[in-house]
Amino acid sequence: DADVTQTPRNRITKTGKRIMLECSQTKGHDRMYWYRQDPGLGLRLIYYSFDVKDINKGEISDGYSVSRQAQAKFSLSLESAIPNQTALYFCATSSGREEQPQHFGDGTRLSIL
Amino acid sequence: GEDVEQSLFLSVREGDSSVINCTYTDSSSTYLYWYKQEPGAGLQLLTYIFSNMDMKQDQRLTVLLNKKDKHLSLRIADTQTGDSAIYFCAEGGNYGGSQGNLIFGKGTKLSVKP
């Protein structure tokens, strides 16, 4: 979905490095989410935000932090990357309307050596 | 807690119908969703169904919901090789007490053989 843009699309880095993944959206949605996807495990929620002043931990928030700089921007940081954080990371947005479908970016493939 | 279960793999022949099944646990879910993920891409919303509906049809896609058994299925008629992808079932959960979060299944990888 081109309305949800993730950067970078791919990143290879070393253990212990600080990494930031960016997400921006043009859909005007209030709600934004970060997930990671691992083979055989599906999608797991890391953090979510319902508006600029709202940050909530998801299922697997340890080792991650987020910043909601504006309605359109939601970044995910790994303060000190470790190899088991190697995964595909997705940002998603939703409007908060009753049917609340989430719209996903194309993902960031992160490899930590 | 909430859980969504799907079988991990399904293989069909081109032209046949595919049926992907899903069970969920949260009876308070308002909407249930099907997403498609093609290789190297994000999740694309295919369709969703309101919990007071039994069926929804959209071209080749038919969604059936059995709310009593908490069972959701996605039928793809005349399956094509381009339908090969991972299909995720998701429910509108109440994760952490906050409405609006989705609980995803682990995904069913559909392989379509020519």
Side-chain angles (χ1 to χ4, degrees):
Chain A
D1 191 329
D3 297 324
V4 183
T5 303
Q6 292 184 234
T7 56
R9 292 295 315 279
N10 292 280
R11 177 81 185 269
I12 301 172
T13 192
K14 294 182 179 178
T15 297
K17 294 290 187 183
R18 184 178 188 273
I19 300 157
M20 181 180 287
L21 309 184
E22 308 269 9
C23 178
S24 63
Q25 52 117 344
T26 58
K27 298 185 81 67
H29 287 169
D30 286 327
R31 301 183 178 191
M32 298 187 75
Y33 308 80
W34 275 105
Y35 293 89
R36 66 177 277 176
Q37 183 182 24
D38 298 276
L41 294 179
L43 275 77
R44 293 182 291 168
L45 183 64
I46 306 172
Y47 270 97
Y48 61 101
S49 168
F50 283 178
D51 66 40
V52 175
K53 296 189 173 105
D54 180 70
I55 299 289
N56 303 281
K57 292 183 177 180
E59 181 187 351
I60 52 161
S61 59
D62 287 349
Y64 301 95
S65 62
V66 290
S67 174
R68 184 80 184 268
Q69 303 97 318
Q71 189 209 32
K73 294 185 183 296
F74 192 35
S75 59
L76 175 72
S77 294
L78 288 69
E79 296 301 326
S80 179
I82 55 177
N84 75 2
Q85 292 177 312
T86 293
L88 188 54
Y89 289 84
F90 287 105
C91 175
T93 74
S94 72
S95 65
R97 290 199 312 270
E98 188 177 0
E99 70 273 21
Q100 298 170 6
Q102 292 185 12
H103 299 266
F104 284 78
D106 286 335
T108 294
R109 186 168 295 280
L110 180 61
S111 297
I112 299 162
L113 307 177
Chain B
E2 299 92 348
D3 196 16
V4 177
E5 298 282 345
Q6 303 176 239
S7 54
L8 293 182
F9 301 99
L10 176 65
S11 180
V12 300
R13 293 213 171 272
E14 192 174 18
D16 288 349
S17 292
S18 306
V19 179
I20 303 171
N21 294 300
C22 169
T23 58
Y24 61 97
T25 58
D26 187 356
S27 58
S28 67
S29 295
T30 306
Y31 286 88
L32 296 121
Y33 306 84
W34 284 104
Y35 283 84
K36 176 184 180 182
Q37 184 184 29
E38 296 180 354
L43 275 70
Q44 171 196 356
L45 178 68
L46 275 181
T47 186
Y48 57 90
I49 186 167
F50 187 43
S51 60
N52 70 353
M53 296 171 65
D54 298 324
M55 185 181 82
K56 181 178 180 181
Q57 187 149 5
D58 183 1
Q59 299 182 338
R60 291 189 300 122
L61 305 179
T62 303
V63 178
L64 295 178
L65 174 61
N66 181 330
K67 195 171 180 181
K68 174 177 169 290
D69 294 339
K70 298 188 189 125
H71 183 267
L72 182 73
S73 67
L74 174 69
R75 178 177 181 269
I76 306 173
D78 187 24
T79 312
Q80 302 298 306
T81 54
D83 294 323
S84 292
I86 301 175
Y87 291 81
F88 290 92
C89 170
E91 62 166 344
N94 191 18
Y95 185 82
S98 298
Q99 290 291 343
N101 293 327
L102 297 184
I103 308 297
F104 285 86
K106 292 180 171 49
T108 299
K109 184 174 183 178
L110 174 65
S111 298
V112 182
K113 301 185 189 312

